[in-house]
Amino acid sequence: MMKIVKNMTKGSLSEIRCGINKFQFFIACLSCLVLISSCQDDILDGDIVTSTEETVGEFIENESNYSEFYRMLDTTHVIGLLRAYGEYTCFLPDNNAMTAFYASNNKTCLGDFSLEELTETAQHHIMKDTLKTSAFVQGLQATKTLSGRNLNINFVSDSAALSYYVNDSSKVVKSDIMLHNGVVHEIDKVIDPTEYNIAGVIKEDASFSLFYSALVATGLDERLKKEKDDTYPDEFADYETLSEQRDETADSPTMIPRERKYGYTVLMESDKTYKSITDYNGLSFPNGITSIDDLKRLAASIYDEVFPTDAGISDITDSRNSLNRYIAYHLFDKKIIRQFFIEAFDNTGMNNLTDQTSHSVKTIDMYEYIETMCPNTLVEVRTRRDQTNDMEYDWFNYVEETGEFVRLTDNTDNDALNGVYHEIDNILCYNKDFFSELSSKRLRMNPASFFPEFMNNDIRVVHENSPSGHVLWKFPNGYLDRLESSEVTEFGYFSSEDTWCNYQGDEVFMNQCMYDITMETLPIPAGTYEVRFGYKANASRGVVQLYWDGLPCGIPLDLSITADQPEIGYVKPGTDALDVKGYENDKMMRNRGYMKAPACFKGISGSQAVNARDNSQCLRRILGTFTFTEAGTHTVRARGLSVAQFMFDYMEFVPTEYIESEDVN
């Protein structure tokens, strides 16, 4: 048992005594004695009553086998954190591991390192969260260390037991040592992650020599070098204003980003995979694909067909060249560890991948769209399901007609200072078949996918210190590249919360302000589409005028009106005996410019789950039908007409020829 009694010093006790009579003082003292006796393990430490149960910091200090790491923590003052309240995980090297670490760096003791080096090394071993072995996932962990790095944990099974290795080489020799403010795992080697950027790490991996050669030859490696915006927050005028609103202690903490980091993801075919391909897209490769000339032939056969007007561009450093497009299509400007391609968005609380009772309906395929560095192109990631709830994650660019798709191999989550790379099992490309697939289906997009900063700065994840799991993030003007907003706008984002009946559980949100925002979408293929705006209505939300590519979309939308109001006319499916499925009601709502929410997600409250289609608060507003003559990004603007809340859940782009056969999912 632990109780916190603040400001109970001798002076404060005398002040209390002066304010009450002797009898009241006797009762107060007696209560204090009862409190202290009921907590036999507690001691008075200054003005706070704390438990004598060891903290992580005290455990390390009291065990002589960890004295060298303790000296590092003490020298860098990191030890104070591990003695404090909170939740921490420490991967703890013993003295032998520390001695080996000194030798591997051609040093003999702690004093041979700079304070900056020691601080970073200490922080590599600590997470601000409790991560027991039961919560480990194979690959990079979602919760980062204090140094901002993802730890890679590999599971190794033998006949005796399951072993865990951190960053491939540090074996967990003692696990789940539970302490008052966290957990300790003893490791046999100091964690020392690479300081190479993503291109440098790929260079060191001989398995991808052909892809790396093409990456350098096209000059695309130069686009993978940024790590951090050093002007943030100094040049962001409203950073301090938002800082005053910051609260990390509430059930739904209000946060602003501490950093503005960049990140990258590279998907790559290995040399072995290339060598196994003897024919592709009508081309013959008798010895497999083994040279850049082979890659040029391959790329030309794909991209000259999709972009015929650029077929004559021979300069491979030109973004319109076919080889440049081929390599760039494998590159994303956000760091995506394996579980965050789609698996995490499909499960409760983003990080808790073992809990399957989440907002997504487990019999319906889920989709995520990622913009690549190949101009105006998307990669589609899909969770493939059957009706027995079996599922397979990470189907890239599945083409229904041919059955072709690309998967990740087991060689994933290869970490770098500013990114991660993953091996794929086949040729990943934006070919004619996938272009046809993408431009003939409904594209449903979470606005969180518009902003690479969300993934690169741990925003599109559950915050480890939030009691409810989700956080309201607010952003200084200029923080998000794809957002323009007025000076008085306070743009916000709620991370995932399963009790909310939202697509993927999260939402763009603004609380009680006169907002005016313009967001740039992901690139949409050429075609004619019905464009829809997904949202959830409630009484606190106001009236908004929506614009598409700068043009107003009909009359203003009142976000406070739920669908069961007469002007919308929603009838819950199953309540009308003459329209059990609700299809006739769907038609009536469409005539008024509205649609029910799709049936692919739900809100969870205790043991109850309400499907979005059955929730009169969850709606889609049809913005209009638009023809896009070429692939590209677009803008959606929301201008508040009163001081009120704003909520934006998802967007849909539906080819007009698809509408007649569209399902309710």
Side-chain angles (χ1 to χ4, degrees):
M1 177 178 180
M2 179 182 70
K3 298 286 185 183
I4 300 175
V5 183
K6 292 189 179 290
N7 300 321
M8 293 294 287
T9 61
K10 290 181 179 179
S12 61
L13 281 172
S14 66
E15 292 172 6
I16 294 172
R17 189 182 297 117
C18 291
I20 56 178
N21 63 37
K22 290 181 180 180
F23 176 76
Q24 290 171 318
F25 178 69
F26 171 76
I27 295 298
C29 291
L30 182 62
S31 298
C32 288
L33 288 172
V34 171
L35 171 64
I36 293 171
S37 64
S38 68
C39 302
Q40 295 179 359
D41 291 336
D42 290 353
I43 61 174
L44 190 65
D45 180 15
D47 65 349
I48 300 178
V49 176
T50 59
S51 170
T52 58
E53 182 185 353
E54 282 185 315
T55 64
V56 172
E58 291 165 341
F59 172 80
I60 298 170
E61 181 179 7
N62 294 336
E63 296 290 331
S64 60
N65 194 38
Y66 310 123
S67 59
E68 284 297 304
F69 191 70
Y70 172 75
R71 286 180 58 219
M72 178 184 288
L73 295 175
D74 190 44
T75 300
T76 60
H77 303 295
V78 176
I79 190 64
L81 187 70
L82 298 181
R83 289 174 175 151
Y85 297 112
E87 296 183 350
Y88 303 95
T89 299
C90 180
F91 291 89
L92 179 59
D94 62 14
N95 289 341
N96 290 334
M98 291 295 292
T99 301
F101 174 68
Y102 302 154
S104 67
N105 286 275
N106 297 315
K107 302 181 189 298
T108 59
C109 64
L110 283 178
D112 294 336
F113 293 85
S114 70
L115 181 61
E116 182 180 2
E117 290 171 327
L118 293 178
T119 300
E120 187 170 40
T121 300
Q123 291 177 338
H124 287 330
H125 294 76
I126 301 166
M127 294 176 174
K128 204 174 180 182
D129 192 9
T130 299
L131 196 70
K132 297 188 289 187
T133 53
S134 59
F136 288 173
V137 296
Q138 177 83 19
L140 290 174
Q141 309 307 294
T143 301
K144 292 186 176 180
T145 65
L146 296 183
S147 62
R149 302 298 292 270
N150 299 96
L151 294 182
N152 195 323
I153 298 181
N154 288 328
F155 297 7
V156 178
S157 298
D158 57 30
S159 56
L162 178 66
S163 298
Y164 304 100
Y165 286 82
V166 182
N167 288 8
D168 294 327
S169 57
S170 299
K171 183 179 181 180
V172 176
V173 294
K174 292 181 183 178
S175 62
D176 294 335
I177 303 170
M178 300 307 300
L179 298 161
H180 186 66
N181 63 343
V183 61
V184 164
H185 308 288
E186 183 185 321
I187 54 177
D188 65 358
K189 186 177 180 181
V190 169
I191 297 170
D192 191 17
T194 180
E195 293 302 313
Y196 287 130
N197 64 26
I198 185 64
V201 171
I202 296 171
K203 179 182 179 181
E204 297 298 309
D205 192 335
S207 301
F208 302 97
S209 62
L210 180 53
F211 187 95
Y212 177 74
S213 296
L215 180 70
V216 173
T218 56
L220 288 165
D221 61 318
E222 294 295 319
R223 296 182 61 187
L224 305 177
K225 290 187 173 181
K226 291 196 294 186
E227 298 172 11
K228 184 178 177 181
D229 181 355
D230 292 327
T231 70
Y232 182 80
D234 297 341
E235 294 188 7
F236 288 72
D238 50 349
Y239 178 86
E240 291 302 327
T241 301
L242 292 178
S243 293
E244 294 173 2
Q245 304 172 20
R246 184 186 181 98
D247 179 4
E248 296 187 41
T249 62
D251 283 347
S252 299
T254 300
M255 304 280 287
I256 57 173
R258 296 184 184 275
E259 298 180 294
R260 189 168 185 262
K261 295 189 291 187
Y262 303 101
Y264 305 96
T265 300
V266 183
L267 302 181
M268 292 187 293
E269 303 89 349
S270 68
D271 292 351
K272 182 179 179 181
T273 294
Y274 279 137
K275 198 168 184 178
S276 69
I277 296 172
T278 56
D279 60 85
Y280 191 89
N281 205 34
L283 298 179
S284 175
F285 300 95
N287 300 311
I289 299 171
T290 60
S291 67
I292 287 185
D293 284 340
D294 289 339
L295 278 182
K296 286 181 179 179
R297 290 177 58 216
L298 174 72
S301 74
I302 297 166
Y303 289 97
D304 289 356
E305 186 175 29
V306 179
F307 304 99
T309 58
D310 297 332
I313 297 174
S314 59
D315 179 2
I316 63 174
T317 65
D318 189 315
S319 62
R320 298 167 296 170
N321 169 267
S322 57
L323 179 62
N324 194 289
R325 289 185 192 272
Y326 174 84
I327 297 297
Y329 191 72
H330 293 68
L331 314 178
F332 313 142
D333 66 350
K334 51 187 169 184
K335 181 178 181 178
I336 309 174
I337 65 177
R338 182 167 191 161
Q339 59 178 298
F340 285 144
F341 275 113
I342 194 168
E343 184 177 0
F345 309 139
D346 197 21
N347 287 275
T348 297
M350 300 286 285
N351 293 344
N352 184 10
L353 301 184
T354 61
D355 188 345
Q356 297 295 310
T357 57
S358 76
H359 48 262
S360 64
V361 176
K362 299 302 179 184
T363 55
I364 301 172
D365 288 9
M366 175 175 270
Y367 300 83
E368 180 72 6
Y369 295 95
I370 305 169
E371 184 177 18
T372 81
M373 290 190 179
C374 178
N376 296 319
T377 61
L378 295 172
V379 160
E380 179 186 86
V381 194
R382 184 172 185 170
T383 300
R384 184 68 172 174
R385 312 186 199 275
D386 62 29
Q387 297 304 306
T388 63
N389 293 354
D390 288 336
M391 62 190 77
E392 292 187 27
Y393 293 110
D394 306 332
W395 283 33
F396 292 85
N397 290 9
Y398 176 70
V399 177
E400 199 83 41
E401 185 174 340
T402 65
E404 295 179 353
F405 60 97
V406 174
R407 295 292 303 270
L408 299 175
T409 72
D410 291 335
N411 181 21
T412 60
D413 283 343
N414 296 285
D415 197 35
L417 183 63
N418 66 340
V420 64
Y421 70 89
H422 311 275
E423 182 183 347
I424 51 179
D425 66 357
N426 210 334
I427 300 297
L428 179 70
C429 60
Y430 192 74
N431 61 19
K432 193 172 183 179
D433 287 339
F434 180 62
F435 169 79
S436 177
E437 172 83 16
L438 201 62
S439 58
S440 62
K441 66 195 298 182
R442 177 183 58 217
L443 306 179
R444 181 177 295 136
M445 296 179 180
N446 187 326
S449 67
F450 299 173
F451 307 111
E453 297 89 351
F454 281 13
M455 197 67 78
N456 294 332
N457 295 279
D458 304 319
I459 292 164
R460 197 181 174 184
V461 294
V462 166
H463 190 261
E464 62 268 18
N465 290 328
S466 170
S468 61
H470 63 274
V471 167
L472 172 57
W473 290 92
K474 292 187 176 181
F475 306 93
N477 284 320
Y479 187 90
L480 303 172
D481 284 340
R482 303 179 86 129
L483 174 76
E484 293 182 5
S485 60
S486 64
E487 289 186 8
V488 298
T489 298
E490 292 183 0
F491 183 83
Y493 169 74
F494 263 121
S495 58
S496 182
E497 166 57 64
D498 276 336
T499 63
W500 295 337
C501 199
N502 294 345
Y503 181 62
Q504 296 189 3
D506 59 354
E507 61 186 54
V508 165
F509 177 86
M510 279 162 285
N511 189 29
Q512 303 300 328
C513 65
M514 187 69 80
Y515 55 86
D516 190 349
I517 59 171
T518 300
M519 291 168 283
E520 183 183 354
T521 72
L522 298 181
I524 308 301
T528 300
Y529 296 88
E530 182 174 272
V531 179
R532 304 167 184 165
F533 176 88
Y535 68 100
K536 186 177 181 182
N538 74 36
S540 298
R541 290 165 189 168
V543 179
V544 58
Q545 179 63 60
L546 297 172
Y547 301 78
W548 183 255
D549 284 340
L551 298 176
C553 299
I555 64 173
L557 170 64
D558 191 340
L559 299 174
S560 70
I561 297 177
T562 54
D564 52 3
Q565 298 302 306
E567 50 265 69
I568 299 178
Y570 168 93
V571 176
K572 183 178 179 179
T575 60
D576 183 348
L578 299 177
D579 184 23
V580 176
K581 298 292 186 180
Y583 297 153
E584 292 303 315
N585 183 240
D586 290 340
K587 294 176 183 178
M588 184 276 293
M589 288 179 62
R590 278 190 60 87
N591 291 336
R592 298 181 179 186
Y594 293 91
M595 295 177 65
K596 299 180 181 72
C600 65
F601 64 93
K602 57 193 176 183
I604 309 293
S605 180
S607 60
Q608 301 297 313
V610 178
N611 189 281
R613 182 169 164 82
D614 297 331
N615 189 330
S616 64
Q617 289 183 279
C618 299
L619 283 160
R620 288 176 277 188
R621 171 70 173 263
I622 300 170
L623 300 187
T625 300
F626 304 91
T627 297
F628 310 145
T629 57
E630 58 185 24
T633 62
H634 301 270
T635 61
V636 56
R637 178 187 177 193
R639 181 171 63 89
L641 303 183
S642 61
V643 175
Q645 290 183 2
F646 171 78
M647 186 273 192
F648 173 25
D649 194 7
Y650 56 92
M651 292 208 74
E652 292 180 344
F653 304 90
V654 187
T656 51
E657 66 271 16
Y658 178 80
I659 294 173
E660 285 294 321
S661 60
E662 185 179 7
D663 58 33
V664 299
N665 297 326

